[in-house]
Each structure stands twice: as structure tokens, then as C-alpha cells.
Amino acid sequence: MIMPELSRLEWARMNLDQVRTQLLAAACGTRFLTPEQLECAAGNSKRACGSTTRRSAPRCPTHP
């Protein structure tokens, strides 16, 4: 089955949901995350947040 290409917003939501799931599992003790995995998760969430903010309202000049 061929998967349709995700929009930027769909991709961001998917990435944030995956990071959220990983962090919740780690917080509950059901999954161990190495420092490298945490760094990767942080990078994924940063990229996902960047994807969503570019499409949202203009930023406040005091908070670039």
C-alpha cells in the first residue's frame, strides 16, 4: 500500500506525537532512553515546532 505524502503540519504532528509517546514511556519506566535518543527526540520536536510556527501567526517581536 502506498502512503500519501504528509503535509508539513501532519508531519509535525506525527513527530510530536512520537516524541510524546517516547517520553511518556520513559517517565513511566517502561522504556529506557539513552542520552542520544533524548537528544534525537529533542531535535525532532524542535523541527516539528519549527514547521508549525512557520505556518502560524507572525511572531511577537520580543519573542523571535
Side-chain angles (χ1 to χ4, degrees):
M1 178 179 198
I2 297 175
M3 297 292 292
E5 190 170 325
L6 297 175
S7 72
R8 184 177 289 171
L9 187 57
E10 291 168 328
W11 176 86
R13 286 182 178 154
M14 181 188 71
N15 266 352
L16 288 173
D17 191 47
Q18 288 175 349
V19 169
R20 179 182 169 272
T21 300
Q22 289 176 339
L23 293 176
L24 284 172
C28 292
T30 58
R31 181 173 184 183
F32 175 77
L33 295 176
T34 66
E36 292 81 15
Q37 289 172 311
L38 289 170
E39 184 78 27
C40 184
N44 284 342
S45 88
K46 182 178 179 180
R47 283 188 297 280
C49 287
S51 291
T52 59
T53 56
R54 282 189 294 238
R55 298 181 73 66
S56 62
R59 295 180 185 198
C60 175
T62 60
H63 296 90

